[in-house]
Amino acid sequence: MPGKNTDTPAMRQYRRFKDAHPGCVLFFRMGDFYEMFFEDAQLAHRTLGVTLTQRTEGVPMAGVPYHAVEGYLRRMIQAGHRVAVCDQVEEAKDAKGVVKRDVTRVITPGTLTDESLLDEATPAPLAAIAFLPDHRVGLAWAELSTGEFRIASLPADTARDELARVAPAELLFCEAADGQTPRRVTDATAGFSCALTPRPAWPFRAGEATELLRKHFKVASLAGFGLQDEDPALGAAATVLHYLFETQSPGGDETNHHSKPAAAKPPRGPALGNPLRHLRPPKPFALDEHLVIDQTSLASLEVERTLNARSTNGSLVGTLGQNGRACATAMGKRRLRDWLCFPLTSRREIEKRQDVVQAMVDDERFIRELGDAFEHVHDIPRLIARLSVNRASPRDLVALGRSAAAVTRVADALDQRPTVRPFFERIDATRDPLHALGRTIHDACVEETPAHLREGGLIRDGHDPQLDASRALMQNADAWLANYQGEICEQTGIPSLKVGFNKVFGFYIEVSAANKAKAEQFQKTDAGRAWARKQTLKNAERYITPQLKEYEGNVLTAKDRAVAREQELFQQLCGRCSEELERLHAFAEAVAELDVLRCFAQRAARHNYCRPQLVDDPVLRLRGARHPVLDELLGDQFVPNDVELGIGERGTVAEPDLQTNGNPANDDGAPVRPPMSAPRSLALITGPNMAGKSTYIRQAALLTLLAHTGSFLPADAATVGLTDRVFTRVGAHDELHAGRSTFMVEMTETANICHHATPKSLVILDEIGRGTSTYDGLALAWAITEHLSKVGCRTLFATHYHELTALGEQNASGRLPGVGNLHVKVREWHDQIVFLHRVEPGATDRSYGIAVAQLAGLPPEVVARANQLLTDLTTPAQPDPCHSGGAARADHSPQLIASPANEPTLFDASPPPEDHPVLRELRELDLETLSPLAAFDALRGLHRRAQRDS
């Protein structure tokens, strides 16, 4: 416990602020350092690596230099901590006792606005979750740095997936009585990093929430925002709003800090307007307006980040955005991420985007003109946010002025182009006011803008007479003093008289001792009566005059008055910007959308992408399709493939309409990308590892996703049926922290697909059932295939269970309607395999696992032994030599465990004879009704199956 020597005025002040901001690390300004004490100092030592020391015994202390505080704040926030910054609000020389301090800002992971703390391409929203009756949740999220505000009411089982797409930096939830984070909150945030912050219960209540939202947005009803006043989901939105106000208005003078923190006592009708004036009303989020991508699919498809490196490099966002280079504006970079995570489901809205992309592809000059116009458009939403929360710098103001002035150039680039007429009208409506704003800021501010206003230097000379007068005093002091000295010399007749200055006594008139009598004689005249002795020196006398005293006051305060006047003018210009918030937001919205569409068009033109045709039927037809990421990395080395899935019009199987191009055959006799014959809603894909099965199924999902954003596709031709959800079951990983094994995770993800897939969904599966025993896995894969075929969703299923291919055999009596077989082509050459990466119709009966292992560098003796074992395991069992007189089994052969008759053992390569598909189909043949030709076809099919399975 701290002793008596810690009860100083400064420490009492520190504890008062610390108690007022529970859960925050307090950065307490003391001179040139921000100091932390007690547990905060120990936390800073662990997190920031700063030295842990103590000035008073028993009081741990750590500090960071004030001029470098932003870097330390960034590291604190990245570590998930909340920080309250307590500054000195008076000069130490003016203080009577302890220096007055106040908390000037509270910084949390979800309330960032400073440029140094944010990534321009990544949003950092604050979210709140409210658990509602009937297994629903209210979800609200806002980004303080842009003013975006959304609200949604969702089924509880979708909360985790939607939070993953929103990617909040901080999540607010209703605090529990025991002070612990509720299990349902941790479940909703499992799988992604997010700071969790408990909040009091009162803002979550519908009545309190409605009152709070009405008060802030100054409306009598929320119906104008598309919200119901008593909607229980409003509690999440009100909690976000209250938390933002609490963190952005933390101060007030010191006398207020004896009261309880705002979170402990529900304030009625707080003045919420000022710091959040840029925050827009909450906009309802409708789940059915967007293609749903759950958390698993978002990660598996590497939409935002790669699985291994957790980086945007190699992700869909990173590749399309060329890691931040494709979009010209920061708003466009964030909007690109938003569109890829929340694709549309409205065919009309998607085609509107496609029309704009097409217009740009057809007119590359348009792309260049837009790019040139966007060069001077800065991050308007975040500039506005910093201005609103009083964190704007002179450079922010000038950047906002340049952005506003760019409206004319953007509008001119859009004019006379019918396809982008809606964008032109939106921007043209803001043109005159924003152009005037830009001109005002340009005329007032210098080009070389200072980083801060502590020394002034922002406002141009000649803009403000009052400022010019102060600057003139500062700049012309020497000339005035020289003129004044000349006048005094002439009046007194003392040529050696001089006017001087020092910091202690200020300005003075100095007369040498030899001329003292002349000075005293002059004082008797009318002009000299105003002289007053100021200081007597050994060899001189110093005097002061009213005129010199007045000038001294003017000169000594000129700099302070100049800086104060600049700050006043700066605030006036910021206020002028605040008057145009709505127009600035409208302009930024239009530019962000155009920037993403321009990004799509650039890519389509450069890489020869095609415009996909959108249809209502659940189909997916791609010709010469390429993976959007690998196509960028591999270029011409990437092998395109066709995809043909789905049921066409009138409920019939879609007929293939894709044509091949190029030479009719390769040198191995295989056709070049033949059309998919007999397309189905579910395709079983077999072939060796490393051949490209996973790439094939993922590129189909990614191209479906891209088509729903309005982007063109890396393909020769594409027809994409509108899709409600994209499901993936790819890869192998466990969740040991949640007590789930690899196989449990696999089955959980598969169960989610089976429960929620619809005929309009797209499902990609990679190796279902391989995490358990052979027959358990095969049985599960078989049953899942049957279930999905009945659902009718478009499905690509990559598997090594060759037994499943019987479900897709054209002439097999047990085949499932809508199921077809595909395989990845390989070529064998001198005990080696060559991957051709071409997907063709039909099944394969080999996985070439040992050949792939050899390519991976497995020791030759291990490969040789594996080949020998494979031969033994796939050779039909021979009679026991001890009983039949045959040759004894070699010692190196695997010893099979005896089992009851007709039951499979671990090393059986096929089901028991009575359960073999060939025998089952043979028993089910109706010989009385078969024609001779049909009987011959059936016999040929059974013969081929028996040879393959032997």
Side-chain angles (χ1 to χ4, degrees), residues 287-305:
L287 192 61
D288 60 358
E289 292 179 0
H290 302 275
L291 186 153
V292 177
I293 312 170
D294 58 33
Q295 183 187 26
T296 299
S297 301
L298 201 68
S300 299
L301 296 176
E302 299 182 317
V303 175
E304 286 191 273
R305 288 177 176 80

Side-chain angles (χ1 to χ4, degrees), residues 554-677:
N554 290 337
V555 169
L556 293 181
T557 61
K559 182 174 183 179
D560 292 340
R561 285 185 286 110
V563 171
R565 181 57 179 165
E566 285 209 58
Q567 291 174 340
E568 186 179 334
L569 294 171
F570 174 74
Q571 291 300 327
Q572 290 177 8
L573 291 171
C574 288
R576 177 75 180 82
C577 293
S578 297
E579 296 172 4
E580 304 295 345
L581 284 184
E582 288 300 319
R583 292 187 179 92
L584 286 167
H585 274 307
F587 178 50
E589 282 285 316
V591 167
E593 293 173 21
L594 282 168
D595 200 10
V596 179
L597 295 171
R598 174 180 165 276
C599 169
F600 287 166
Q602 276 185 312
R603 193 167 190 83
R606 184 181 302 119
H607 298 285
N608 196 28
Y609 282 13
C610 74
R611 176 174 179 166
Q613 178 187 1
L614 296 171
V615 296
D616 295 326
D617 296 320
V619 300
L620 180 61
R621 303 174 190 167
L622 306 172
R623 185 180 70 191
R626 311 185 298 275
H627 191 289
V629 176
L630 296 180
D631 184 47
E632 176 85 6
L633 297 175
L634 301 179
D636 293 339
Q637 296 179 3
F638 187 84
V639 178
N641 274 295
D642 297 343
V643 178
E644 182 77 18
L645 278 180
I647 306 300
E649 297 177 3
R650 300 179 302 279
T652 60
V653 174
E655 293 299 325
D657 59 358
L658 305 180
Q659 302 298 320
T660 60
N661 52 27
N663 296 325
N666 285 323
D667 54 3
D668 63 347
V672 177
R673 284 192 358 248
M676 297 297 176
S677 58

Side-chain angles (χ1 to χ4, degrees), residues 9 30 34 52 128 135 187 197 465 514 559 658 660 752 761 853 896 941:
M30 300 185 79
Y34 283 99
L52 188 65
H135 304 289
D187 287 346
T197 303
K559 182 174 183 179
L658 305 180
T660 60
N752 178 58
S761 301
L896 304 186

Side-chain angles (χ1 to χ4, degrees), residues 40-359:
D40 284 357
Q42 294 169 343
L43 177 63
H45 173 63
R46 294 192 302 270
T47 305
L48 305 177
V50 295
T51 302
L52 188 65
T53 183
Q54 59 180 17
R55 184 177 300 169
T56 303
E57 185 177 357
V59 182
M61 182 177 76
V64 300
Y66 83 95
H67 59 81
V69 70
E70 296 298 331
Y72 291 105
L73 288 176
R74 183 190 309 110
R75 290 165 61 186
M76 271 290 184
I77 297 303
Q78 288 173 345
H81 301 296
R82 303 165 71 233
V83 179
V85 180
C86 184
D87 283 309
Q88 297 175 182
V89 294
E90 72 171 343
E91 294 292 339
K93 61 183 177 62
D94 299 328
K96 296 179 180 179
V98 66
V99 177
K100 286 185 179 180
R101 294 180 174 87
D102 206 349
V103 173
T104 56
R105 53 178 171 153
V106 175
I107 308 170
T108 75
T111 60
L112 305 178
T113 57
D114 288 17
E115 186 177 14
S116 61
L117 302 177
L118 289 164
D119 176 1
E120 68 170 7
T122 306
L126 169 73
I129 189 169
F131 295 92
L132 310 177
D134 302 326
H135 304 289
R136 297 187 68 80
V137 297
L139 194 63
W141 62 98
E143 191 170 5
L144 183 64
S145 67
T146 63
E148 292 281 352
F149 199 179
R150 304 297 296 273
I151 183 172
S153 178
L154 307 165
D157 60 358
T158 67
R160 178 178 172 181
D161 296 331
E162 293 311 307
L163 279 172
R165 291 208 280 181
V166 172
E170 185 175 5
L171 179 68
L172 311 178
F173 62 92
C174 186
E175 60 187 0
D178 60 1
Q180 301 298 313
T181 302
R183 174 66 181 272
R184 55 188 180 180
V185 174
T186 56
D187 287 346
T189 56
F192 61 92
S193 176
C194 177
L196 301 177
T197 303
R199 300 299 295 158
W202 72 267
F204 286 97
R205 295 194 289 265
E208 305 277 6
T210 303
E211 179 185 350
L212 197 62
L213 290 164
R214 284 176 183 167
K215 181 77 174 179
H216 175 68
F217 292 108
K218 298 180 175 62
V219 293
S221 170
L222 301 176
F225 304 145
L227 303 170
Q228 299 298 319
D229 283 352
E230 300 305 318
D231 187 341
L234 292 177
T239 300
V240 167
L241 183 62
H242 179 261
Y243 186 72
L244 289 175
F245 171 67
E246 185 179 296
T247 56
Q248 301 312 305
S249 300
D253 61 42
E254 286 184 306
T255 60
N256 292 329
H257 289 291
H258 295 284
S259 62
K260 292 181 180 180
K265 182 179 180 181
R268 304 298 181 183
L272 295 175
N274 251 354
L276 305 179
R277 60 185 179 271
H278 71 294
L279 191 68
R280 282 166 279 178
K283 182 179 178 183
F285 172 82
L287 192 61
D288 60 358
E289 292 179 0
H290 302 275
L291 186 153
V292 177
I293 312 170
D294 58 33
Q295 183 187 26
T296 299
S297 301
L298 201 68
S300 299
L301 296 176
E302 299 182 317
V303 175
E304 286 191 273
R305 288 177 176 80
T306 56
L307 283 171
N308 295 331
R310 301 297 298 164
S311 165
T312 57
N313 292 336
S315 69
L316 185 63
V317 170
T319 300
L320 291 186
Q322 292 184 316
N323 296 316
R325 299 188 303 275
C327 291
T329 68
M331 302 100 70
K333 295 170 188 177
R334 293 193 297 274
R335 186 56 54 88
L336 173 63
R337 184 260 174 205
D338 185 60
W339 281 10
L340 292 175
C341 290
F342 295 93
L344 299 175
T345 54
S346 168
R347 179 175 171 181
R348 181 170 175 268
E349 294 302 316
I350 297 170
E351 288 177 342
K352 283 182 181 178
R353 293 181 182 177
Q354 288 182 334
D355 291 342
V356 177
V357 175
Q358 187 69 63

